[in-house]
Amino acid sequence: TSDQIVALTTRQARSLTTAQIAALTADQIPAFEDADLRTFTSTQLRAFGADKIQAFTTSQIAALRRSQLGSLTTDQLMALSTDQIGAIATDSLPVLTSGQINAFTTTQIQAFTTNQIVAMSGAQFAALAADQVQALTSDQLGAMETRDVAALTSSQATSLSTEGVEALTTAQA
């Protein structure tokens, strides 16, 4: 039960097996303390599966270490809500691979904060599909570093809407 999870010490939470984690219900997951989740291994985090990662609170998502975020599967990342996307720690974003970035839906891409956009690398922008680039908001495009705009492929650049092109600064264009 959730009460039992709350009663776990960090050491006990860290000792949960992947089978025990997989058996948890979505209602139980928010009961984990952020500090407990930070001690989980990549294997333990992947045991939550895409269906259960949705039950993480924004505080729990924000508390994930860089290596933990980088270990999430593309299915888990695609299952994140827009609120969860916005909660990803800015300094953790650079660990996401091109494949992980490419897995995000256009709705998820639009949920990235401007600070998260600034934290992304040119290689991550280059990994975006044309529809993901097209989904970038004017604020997100305006937040991109010049080097990141330069990393866009010609097909990505041509996918920008008129509003998207207008959002670019003179230095970016």
Side-chain angles (χ1 to χ4, degrees):
T1 67
S2 294
D3 289 341
Q4 291 170 314
I5 291 171
V6 169
L8 292 175
T9 65
T10 300
R11 185 175 175 174
Q12 290 169 322
R14 172 89 161 93
S15 297
L16 291 173
T17 67
T18 55
Q20 290 169 319
I21 291 169
L24 294 170
T25 66
D27 292 340
Q28 294 171 313
I29 294 167
F32 280 102
E33 296 288 331
D34 296 350
D36 294 340
L37 287 177
R38 286 184 60 81
T39 67
F40 280 23
T41 66
S42 299
T43 304
Q44 286 174 304
L45 277 178
R46 285 192 297 272
F48 282 101
D51 58 330
K52 294 190 181 135
I53 201 83
Q54 294 171 328
F56 277 51
T57 66
T58 54
S59 176
Q60 289 171 326
I61 294 292
L64 293 177
R65 291 178 289 115
R66 290 172 60 123
S67 61
Q68 290 175 311
L69 181 68
S71 74
L72 295 179
T73 67
T74 55
D75 286 342
Q76 286 175 307
L77 291 171
M78 289 173 57
L80 294 175
S81 71
T82 54
D83 288 341
Q84 289 172 316
I85 293 288
I88 294 172
T90 303
D91 65 348
S92 293
L93 278 173
V95 303
L96 294 177
T97 66
S98 299
Q100 289 171 309
I101 291 289
N102 190 261
F104 286 117
T105 67
T106 55
T107 302
Q108 289 174 311
I109 293 292
Q110 290 175 334
F112 278 86
T113 67
T114 54
N115 287 337
Q116 289 171 321
I117 292 292
V118 169
M120 289 175 61
S121 69
Q124 288 173 315
F125 282 110
L128 293 173
D131 64 329
Q132 290 173 311
V133 172
Q134 190 175 28
L136 291 169
T137 67
S138 296
D139 287 343
Q140 289 172 322
L141 288 166
M144 288 176 68
E145 300 288 336
T146 305
R147 71 179 186 284
D148 299 329
V149 174
L152 296 177
T153 66
S154 58
S155 64
Q156 287 173 314
T158 58
S159 73
L160 289 172
S161 65
T162 303
E163 293 83 18
V165 173
E166 290 173 354
L168 297 174
T169 65
T170 309
Q172 289 172 312

